[in-house]
Amino acid sequence: MPIAPSRSELIDHLVRTRIAGNVATPRENNLEHYRRLALGDRHYWFGLEFGERWTDEQDVLAVMAERCGVSDDVEHRAGQDTIDPELTVAALERAAAFLRKAAEGRQRVLFATGHPGGLLDVHRMTADALRAAGCEVLSVPGGLRADDGAVHQVAGVAVYERGATLWHTHSPAPMAAILDGLAACGRPLPDLVVADHGWAGCAAQRGIDAVGYADCNDPALFLAEAEGTLQVAVPLDDHVLDPRFYEPMTAYLLEAAGLA
């Protein structure tokens, strides 16, 4: 783990590595996902229930401009889009408050990722820090299945596996399997979930405090934060060129939480 950067140093790093700033996710992909969410495609709802509240894709775009930093220009239909690094850092600081609370209360915390190629180490390092602070990092019940695959843990982080490979998944089903499995075993549910994609959405929908990382083409978590269902949505490109690029960001997060 590197020494935590200053706020300005982290912003420079986020832009330089394209975790934020001019990100790789193209504008047309963002708008397509906003449209599909507004049309009611559950794949883009990440386990959340929006009812009829977000049926206008322009309303979705407005929230994404406010909370993620994409362009609010409705005429900008293709090409470069952005994540505001100031919003990324502000969200990390809000997330840090929940980690600090978890550490002070020795809470039960569950970590999970649908983006193991990018964010697994972010979650692992955070889990290690909370465990060292006295939190219980929950282990998932054995033998869980979802979406024709297995749900298990790597380094304390729940992941989805098929064919001996960790899969990228937006599905809420793996998190549902964990929460249902804990209940079936008579074990308490987590006090806090730190995750991404449908793992975070499912937990938040079930009323568990959840912090989620989300890309600019993943509007569901930002809408959930706007509605108060999800506690924090951290905007970032969730799969950059080198996963080690996330290490200064994680160091900043843990420093802000008093866990460095």
Side-chain angles (χ1 to χ4, degrees):
M1 176 68 66
I3 296 173
S6 68
R7 197 176 199 279
S8 61
E9 289 171 340
L10 177 59
I11 287 173
D12 289 344
H13 172 79
L14 295 175
V15 172
R16 185 172 62 255
T17 58
R18 302 185 74 185
I19 294 173
N22 290 333
V23 293
T25 310
R27 176 68 167 188
E28 51 267 42
N29 184 260
N30 287 341
L31 295 180
E32 175 65 11
H33 286 204
Y34 305 167
R35 185 181 71 85
R36 288 183 176 273
L37 182 145
L39 289 173
D41 187 334
R42 292 302 183 97
H43 176 75
Y44 297 91
W45 285 22
F46 285 12
L48 293 148
E49 293 297 332
F50 294 121
E52 300 297 320
R53 297 188 298 279
W54 298 101
T55 57
D56 186 335
E57 64 185 281
Q58 300 306 325
D59 291 340
V60 178
L61 173 60
V63 171
M64 293 303 293
E66 175 189 14
R67 294 181 177 267
C68 184
V70 300
S71 171
D72 62 359
D73 181 1
V74 297
E75 300 302 321
H76 179 38
R77 306 299 301 176
Q80 183 67 58
D81 214 340
T82 57
I83 292 174
D84 185 341
E86 293 279 356
L87 294 178
T88 302
V89 176
L92 288 169
E93 292 166 351
R94 295 196 304 276
F98 282 89
L99 298 181
R100 183 184 293 272
K101 177 183 176 183
E104 291 172 348
R106 303 294 193 267
Q107 291 184 349
R108 298 180 300 275
V109 187
L110 175 63
F111 291 85
T113 185
H115 235 301
L119 299 179
L120 180 61
D121 261 359
V122 174
H123 293 300
R124 177 190 62 78
M125 288 185 282
T126 309
D128 287 348
L130 281 180
R131 187 183 292 108
C135 288
E136 179 187 357
V137 175
L138 287 185
S139 60
V140 305
L144 296 180
R145 303 284 299 178
D147 295 335
D148 298 320
V151 182
H152 59 88
Q153 282 175 301
V154 173
V157 183
V159 291
Y160 173 69
E161 180 196 67
R162 285 180 67 183
T165 301
L166 302 186
W167 276 49
H168 170 210
T169 177
H170 289 186
S171 174
M175 178 58 75
I178 293 173
L179 299 179
D180 292 343
L182 289 170
C185 295
R187 293 172 54 191
L189 297 179
D191 301 302
L192 176 68
V193 166
V194 182
D196 46 69
H197 287 176
W199 305 78
C202 175
Q205 185 62 43
R206 294 201 183 192
I208 299 169
D209 281 351
V211 170
Y213 296 96
D215 209 327
C216 54
N217 63 352
D218 294 334
L221 296 189
F222 296 101
L223 299 182
E225 182 187 33
E227 292 189 332
T229 307
L230 184 81
Q231 299 301 322
V232 183
V234 180
L236 81 178
D237 186 316
D238 54 17
H239 198 127
V240 293
L241 182 64
D242 187 337
R244 289 174 295 184
F245 289 164
Y246 296 110
E247 290 180 0
M249 180 195 79
T250 309
Y252 184 90
L253 171 69
L254 297 181
E255 177 74 24
L259 296 171

